[in-house]
Amino acid sequence: MSTQLDSRRPTPLGPVLCRYGDVSHSAWTLVCCLGAAEPSSCIAGWRNYLHPDVDFVVAERSGIGRRMSEVPLSDLKSVVDELVGALEPLINDKPIVLLGHSVGTLVSFRAASTLAASGHKQLALVVCNGRSPTVQDPIAMSEWSDDEIVTKLVQVRPRAQPLVARPDFLDLYLAAIRADLSLYASDERWKGRTESVRFPIFALGAKDDDLVPSAQMWKWSDLASGPFVYQIFSDGGHYLPIDDPPRFLLQLSTLLKHYFFAGE
């Protein structure tokens, strides 16, 4: 990866997507979808470590970041339809890599499945620190009280402490998180049994992730009838991709180069 570009100023591509950096020399598109605890701006700095041939695009769901004033969607089909619709103008003959973090892995997986079903061939999925839809939530976090959710959030994300201490922010934050937690149940109602997919799936986990342990990450292999690669960072927690982008993106670059772009 490279530090040739140093632009964090986004170019909005409608209400859902933002592009970071120049697209004139892009060879492939990286589309990122995060969980409710992080706005898209928190990975704007990835642009500094991505090669100029990457068209770097980040999705923002309703109720999060620059869309915080909107009511968050808790129905997965609506979230995926919104994302896929926003991606349509970007779809061309270039490869697309959808990357999801936390609950964003579920959104990215369903979006990738939808694109594949519509005939897009050059497609790969990267799932980071998010449980497979074949795994039931072992801690039933969606049934927790607001206080329990805040306590757990601060435990795994200490930098969230100043934010959750603001009453004007906390209600919006919790609404977005509860919508996130509803997406897996919504997925079961929408899709039922999950079929395997043929596009490559690359799973990246972290040894110290208290929310999504290695066993849950490995279950993404159940959905792969095509290539599947799982790698785990020897240290780092649930937010490693956001907290340590140089290390994370170097690993991502190596994976894609060896297993997705190897034939080019």
Side-chain angles (χ1 to χ4, degrees), residues 34-245:
L34 306 178
E38 302 291 340
S40 61
S41 59
C42 74
I43 60 170
W46 284 18
R47 178 72 274 175
N48 299 339
Y49 305 98
L50 291 169
H51 194 276
D53 69 358
V54 181
D55 181 12
F56 176 41
V57 176
V58 186
E60 191 99 88
R61 301 207 308 278
S62 59
I64 305 171
R66 65 192 178 96
R67 302 182 64 189
M68 184 166 280
S69 62
E70 301 178 34
V71 176
L73 295 174
S74 58
D75 174 68
L76 183 64
K77 184 177 186 302
S78 299
V79 172
V80 171
D81 287 348
E82 180 185 64
L83 176 58
V84 171
L87 288 174
E88 285 182 356
L90 304 183
I91 297 174
N92 47 40
D93 57 351
K94 298 177 182 177
I96 294 180
V97 176
L98 284 97
L99 182 152
H101 176 260
S102 193
V103 181
T105 56
L106 179 62
V107 177
S108 295
F109 170 68
R110 289 305 185 194
S113 300
T114 301
L115 292 176
S118 67
H120 194 81
K121 303 295 185 184
Q122 299 188 78
L123 181 70
L125 174 69
V126 180
V127 290
C128 311
N129 310 94
R131 65 183 173 92
S132 163
T134 62
V135 177
Q136 294 294 318
D137 182 2
I139 59 176
M141 197 170 174
S142 61
E143 300 175 10
W144 290 11
S145 68
D146 288 351
D147 287 344
E148 288 173 320
I149 290 176
V150 170
T151 299
K152 185 65 173 179
L153 176 63
V154 172
Q155 176 188 336
V156 299
R157 193 63 171 153
R159 69 171 60 179
Q161 178 67 62
L163 297 177
V164 299
R166 291 173 44 189
D168 60 324
F169 181 83
L170 182 57
D171 287 346
L172 296 173
Y173 204 38
L174 283 170
I177 291 175
R178 287 204 176 279
D180 245 27
L181 296 174
S182 298
L183 293 182
Y184 280 96
S186 172
D187 182 52
E188 293 176 7
R189 294 192 299 271
W190 176 29
K191 289 294 186 179
R193 180 174 177 270
T194 299
E195 302 292 336
S196 61
V197 295
R198 297 195 60 81
F199 50 78
I201 299 178
F202 305 104
L204 290 168
K207 181 180 178 182
D208 300 324
D209 188 343
D210 293 333
L211 291 179
V212 186
S214 179
Q216 292 186 24
M217 290 296 301
W218 181 254
K219 294 295 286 184
W220 283 99
S221 63
D222 293 347
L223 299 175
S225 60
F228 175 79
V229 179
Y230 173 49
Q231 295 187 356
I232 185 168
F233 288 91
S234 59
D235 61 347
H238 188 70
Y239 292 97
L240 183 144
I242 296 168
D243 294 338
D244 194 356

